[in-house]
Amino acid sequence: MNGILVIDKPKGMTSQQVVGRVKKILGVKKVGHTGTLDPDVDGVLPLCIGQATRLAEYLLDQSKAYAAELTLGYSTDTQDASGEIVERVAHVSVTEAEIRAAFDKFCGEIEQVPPAFSALKINGRRAYDLARQGERVALPPRRVTIYELAITELELDCELPRVRFRVECSKGTYVRTLCHDIGQTLGIPAHMSRLTRTRSGPFTLQMAHSLDVIGQAAAEGRIADYLLPPSVAVADFPCYVVTDRQARRVFNGLEMSFSAAGQERETGERIRLESASGQLLAIYRVVDSDGQTIRTKPEKVFNA
């Protein structure tokens, strides 16, 4: 069994627990997720099944989109609603104009310090393990990109004002840190109170299915109806269709050359090779292009 299964992850489960549940439902050993979602976060969690697990790294590199809620009035050690309160104000006074001005400052490429309670490693240990033990966690800042940041709803006439928004961002972006930092810009402690991932790479919430639906489909022998082909994970890679004779070269891990007529390919660019029937055979990388011929070498070859 090979392909991509898009799960609508429920709140209250870790991403690894979802993987374990799907392994049991499908009766397979090779299942991997493509980007951790915290237990309190729901939404799109693509799972790679079988040989498709080798495509997970490409999905990790792709952008993500979320529907989020920021609450003003107090901040927490985890920067979300699950943490311990570390700062609180008795009264919040803020205008819509001030909030919109603060949001505008976080569009584009920004510098972000990952939260102490994160899965990042420090000298081989998870940051959240160190933080839970009371150790000081100092993670270096990194550059991330916010492609879109749009306020969808404001709830300001209450004790703890809330801002609901959607965000599209690069890999490695922490939305809870974004909420915390927006609060810092406003001079008001803040935390992320809700988060739903609405898209991961090419996979959207509309494509996602609950674990109950997947379980029922598997029990009825209809799981193929929900399994997407591996090629969907790398649909943004240029596609080259090869003949059966060329496919034998591919499966032997040999270099492949293609006509460059009407196509410009950069050295290092990835392409995908498919059979005439649409089966993903391999991922190749361009090593040279002289304007007439594109020469490529294999990066990942999938079994016939």
Side-chain angles (χ1 to χ4, degrees):
M1 186 181 296
N2 302 300
I4 310 292
L5 201 58
V6 187
I7 300 297
D8 185 356
K9 177 194 165 299
K11 291 181 180 179
M13 292 184 74
T14 66
S15 297
Q16 206 53 47
Q17 286 173 332
V18 173
V19 167
R21 175 86 175 272
V22 170
K23 283 182 177 180
K24 187 174 181 180
I25 289 172
L26 302 184
V28 297
K29 293 182 178 180
K30 294 183 70 175
V31 179
H33 64 73
T34 59
T36 301
L37 287 180
D38 292 337
D40 288 342
V41 180
D42 58 3
V44 178
L45 183 67
L47 300 184
C48 297
I49 315 295
Q51 288 193 55
T53 54
R54 299 178 65 201
L55 297 170
E57 65 178 277
Y58 305 125
L59 287 171
L60 286 169
D61 285 341
Q62 296 175 349
S63 66
K64 312 290 192 294
Y66 301 87
E69 181 184 77
L70 175 157
T71 294
L72 296 163
Y74 68 90
S75 59
T76 71
D77 56 359
T78 59
Q79 300 179 346
D80 61 17
S82 69
E84 297 292 328
I85 296 175
V86 294
E87 184 180 4
R88 186 184 203 83
V89 293
H91 177 70
V92 176
S93 177
V94 65
T95 66
E96 178 176 342
E98 289 170 335
I99 289 174
R100 293 192 181 279
F103 267 70
D104 287 344
K105 293 180 180 179
F106 289 87
C107 292
E109 190 176 274
I110 64 171
E111 193 169 81
Q112 190 179 74
V113 178
F117 285 85
S118 67
L120 298 177
K121 288 187 176 181
I122 301 175
N123 297 324
R125 299 178 65 189
R126 298 289 185 186
Y128 56 65
D129 287 331
L130 297 172
R132 286 168 184 159
Q133 292 169 11
E135 296 187 34
R136 184 176 179 274
V137 175
L139 291 163
R142 55 186 180 181
R143 305 297 290 183
V144 297
T145 303
I146 307 298
Y147 301 110
E148 181 188 23
L149 185 59
I151 295 172
T152 57
E153 188 177 355
L154 288 164
E155 195 176 313
L156 303 184
D157 191 20
C158 54
E159 181 182 355
L160 297 173
R162 293 180 175 85
V163 184
R164 297 178 186 93
F165 62 95
R166 65 176 183 270
V167 56
E168 181 181 346
C169 52
S170 64
K171 72 169 185 177
T173 303
Y174 284 89
V175 180
R176 51 192 163 114
T177 299
L178 179 64
C179 290
H180 173 272
D181 292 350
I182 289 173
Q184 293 285 94
T185 297
L186 288 166
I188 304 169
H191 68 279
M192 183 187 77
S193 44
R194 285 175 53 187
L195 187 67
T196 297
R197 187 154 70 188
T198 57
R199 182 180 62 76
S200 178
F203 305 107
T204 65
L205 198 54
Q206 289 71 31
M207 300 166 67
H209 308 283
S210 71
L211 289 169
D212 288 341
V213 166
I214 294 301
Q216 185 67 26
E220 296 173 357
R222 297 183 293 103
I223 197 63
D225 295 342
Y226 297 86
L227 203 61
L228 300 175
S231 58
V232 177
V234 288
D236 58 334
F237 293 176
C239 179
Y240 289 77
V241 177
V242 301
T243 65
D244 291 343
R245 183 176 179 179
Q246 288 174 315
R248 286 193 290 273
R249 288 182 56 83
V250 171
F251 291 136
N252 285 323
L254 301 177
E255 288 188 11
M256 296 291 293
S257 294
F258 303 94
S259 171
Q263 303 178 78
E264 299 230 356
R265 295 282 173 254
E266 297 181 1
T267 299
E269 184 178 0
R270 293 186 178 103
I271 64 172
R272 71 183 197 274
L273 305 186
E274 294 187 359
S275 67
S277 63
Q279 179 188 357
L280 180 65
L281 305 180
I283 304 297
Y284 269 56
R285 194 183 281 269
V286 176
V287 294
D288 183 52
S289 180
D290 60 8
Q292 293 184 327
T293 302
I294 299 169
R295 190 163 61 86
T296 67
K297 287 186 176 181
E299 183 168 285
K300 291 182 188 290
V301 176
F302 303 97
N303 296 334

